[in-house]
Each structure stands twice: as structure tokens, then as C-alpha cells.
Amino acid sequence: MLSLGMDIGSTTSKCVLMNGERQLLAMALVVAGIGTQGPEQAAAQLLENAQTRWEDIDVITATGYGRLRYERAQHQVSELTCHALGTSWLFPQARTVIDIGGQDVKILSLGPEGRLLNFVMNDKCAAGTGRFLDVMANILQLRIDDLGPCAMQAERAAVISSTCTVFAESEVISQLAAGVARNEVIAGICESVAAKTASLAKRLPIRADVVMSGGVARNEGVRRCLEKHLEMPILHAPQAQYTGALGAALYGLKAAG
Ligand code: ADP
């Protein structure tokens, strides 16, 4: 049995392949999301990584914003269900999931075996999401994966008070012009995302273990600031950005019986 899980996000397409024993066989990611060739490119890469062909795949499940437009999928499943399933496969003891993706933030409260008990989501605004970090990385002419390490080198974080991405962008530029150290500005950017996420998360009871999923989980600066706000350790897996795709593959296995 081979199950392919495809997560078509706002910025990135992620896919994974699992076997009937729920073992992860291969993963692939392309930074191109809904409305692009990203899903097809990610799937082609996945098949190559796994040395397999479309004919060998038994079940295909899609999740993410683009899930309804993915014609290869037999199942389309919500991101909430998939992040719950994927997280509990990675961390069976997880009770809170903080998922920060390219466009939205979701906090999930889980019961045993990844049962979804409750959730909250951000409003439709880029602040506090991966999009905010992408815009800031662009201004600073850095790669997205440089933000976390730079923030970790700062002794203090500059205060970014604007809650709107557009205003925060001018604030960052003004701070740089005023001579604030670049790493301190970056630490302030990470802190701004963490503070927004923490205030959303506090609408739910935060129960350990707390796990971060989504692409922003790869940013150590945001993770550390969030731990301070929540006063709890935050777990994350190297496959954090694939959590939705993992959940989709797991759903497919279950559906196929
Ligand atoms: P979506 O599903 O909406 O496309 P993802 O969960 O894939 O979102 O997360 C995408 C976000 O993750 C990007 O907007 C970016 O800010 C962040 N990101 C991606 N790669 C990295 C990385 N290597 N280091 C830090 N952050 C990253």
C-alpha cells in the first residue's frame, strides 16, 4: 500500500509518501503553491526520490488551500484534520499545535490519538504569518532561512510596534536608517510574529506538549520568542513543514482501510 499526501499551500507545495505500515518513504517540497505548477513539480520530485511511478500509488489525498483543485486526489481533507493527524504521528503526546504557514495561523487543541478538540485561527491579515517574514526577508535582502540564525545572534530585539505588515515594513526601514543593528531588527521581526501568535494561542487552554508545525516552525527565532511568551517548551520536528502532507497521507491510509 502506498499513500501520497499532498499539501497545496499559499506559498509552498509539500508532498510525502507513506507505506501501509505508516512509515515515511519520501518527501518533496517546491516553493510554489496554489495556482502554480508547484504540486505537479513536487509530486514528480517525490516519485523520483522514492523511485516509484504514479501507477504504484494506491491512494492520493490533498489538503491545503489548493486541495479542491488537485484533480489527482481521491480525498480532499481540511488542513485542521491533517495537521492534527500529522502532529500526532510525529509527537503522539502533543496536546497543542501551533501551525504558522505562509498565510494563516492556526492553534489546535488535541485529545489522545490526535483527536481535534478545538481550534482558533487568525483573521485574514498577513501580520504574524510567514508572509510577514517573507516580506521582511525581502527588504533585508536575506533568504527566509537566514532570519532565525540572525535573530539568535542579537543581544536584544528592536521594538516593531506596527501590527500591519505595510506599516511594519516602513518601521523596519526607518529603524535600519536610524542605525539599529540589523540582527536586532530581525529579532524584533521574529518577536512580533511570536507575540501575535501567543495572543491568539491564549484564547485556548495551552496544554503540553506544545508542537509547532508549518514552515515558520523552521525559524528558531520565532520558536524561542514563542516559548518565552507561553512559558513552555515548544517541540518541532525537522519535517514540521510537511505536517499537513503527513496528515493527508495518514488519512488516505485510513480511508483505504
Ligand atoms: P503554506 O502552506 O501556506 O504555503 P507553509 O507551512 O509551507 O505555508 O510555510 C511557508 C512559510 O514558511 C513561508 O512563508 C516562510 O516564511 C516560512 N519558511 C519556509 N522555509 C523556511 C525556512 N527554511 N526557514 C524559516 N522559515 C521558513
Side-chain angles (χ1 to χ4, degrees):
M1 163 72 70
L2 287 179
S3 172
L4 187 151
M6 171 68 74
D7 179 3
I8 307 171
S10 60
T11 65
T12 311
S13 303
K14 287 84 52 177
C15 57
V16 306
L17 193 65
M18 271 190 166
N19 66 15
E21 282 72 54
R22 294 166 42 109
Q23 289 166 326
L24 179 58
L25 303 179
M27 313 191 286
L29 175 153
V30 170
V31 185
I34 183 167
T36 69
Q37 287 300 308
E40 278 311 293
Q41 289 166 358
Q45 207 175 300
L46 183 84
L47 297 184
E48 197 184 319
N49 293 349
Q51 292 288 297
T52 189
R53 299 165 305 164
W54 278 118
E55 306 83 270
D56 302 323
I57 311 285
D58 298 288
V59 56
I60 302 174
T61 308
T63 187
Y65 278 118
R67 66 181 180 275
L68 300 178
R69 301 198 174 276
Y70 191 56
E71 286 171 3
R72 289 186 188 273
Q74 284 111 300
H75 308 283
Q76 280 120 356
V77 187
S78 83
E79 290 150 275
L80 290 168
T81 300
C82 289
H83 275 264
L85 286 172
T87 302
S88 74
W89 181 83
L90 289 162
F91 297 101
Q93 73 286 14
R95 292 296 176 269
T96 305
V97 186
I98 299 177
D99 166 40
I100 314 184
Q103 183 164 291
D104 60 20
V105 183
K106 305 180 201 70
I107 319 293
L108 285 64
S109 206
L110 301 186
E113 288 157 34
R115 202 154 48 88
L116 182 63
L117 302 179
N118 203 353
F119 73 94
V120 285
M121 271 181 83
N122 67 329
D123 43 22
K124 288 266 169 244
C125 167
T129 68
R131 171 84 188 130
F132 180 84
L133 295 163
D134 296 339
V135 167
M136 298 305 166
N138 200 25
I139 299 174
L140 294 157
Q141 295 193 314
L142 287 172
R143 291 182 331 183
I144 192 66
D145 44 336
D146 291 330
L147 292 186
C150 288
M152 296 307 291
Q153 281 171 29
E155 283 173 18
R156 63 183 83 79
V159 177
I160 311 287
S161 50
S162 307
T163 47
C164 162
T165 307
V166 178
F167 291 139
E169 195 173 344
S170 353
E171 203 178 340
V172 162
I173 293 167
S174 317
Q175 296 220 16
L176 292 169
V180 178
R182 197 169 74 148
N183 286 351
E184 290 180 16
V185 172
I186 297 170
I189 291 166
C190 293
E191 164 57 25
S192 157
V193 170
K196 263 203 135 228
T197 306
S199 70
L200 181 68
K202 285 175 184 171
R203 290 204 221 151
L204 291 178
I206 308 290
R207 294 172 303 125
D209 287 354
V210 181
V211 175
M212 247 186 109
S213 67
V216 177
R218 297 172 71 179
N219 183 322
E220 190 184 356
V222 175
R223 287 200 316 269
R224 293 288 158 260
C225 293
L226 206 42
E227 284 182 329
K228 282 190 198 144
H229 281 280
L230 301 180
E231 297 174 354
M232 277 195 188
I234 295 178
L235 308 177
H236 83 287
Q239 310 93 333
Q241 198 169 2
Y242 292 91
T243 306
L246 284 167
L250 289 161
Y251 181 97
L253 286 177
K254 219 171 172 181

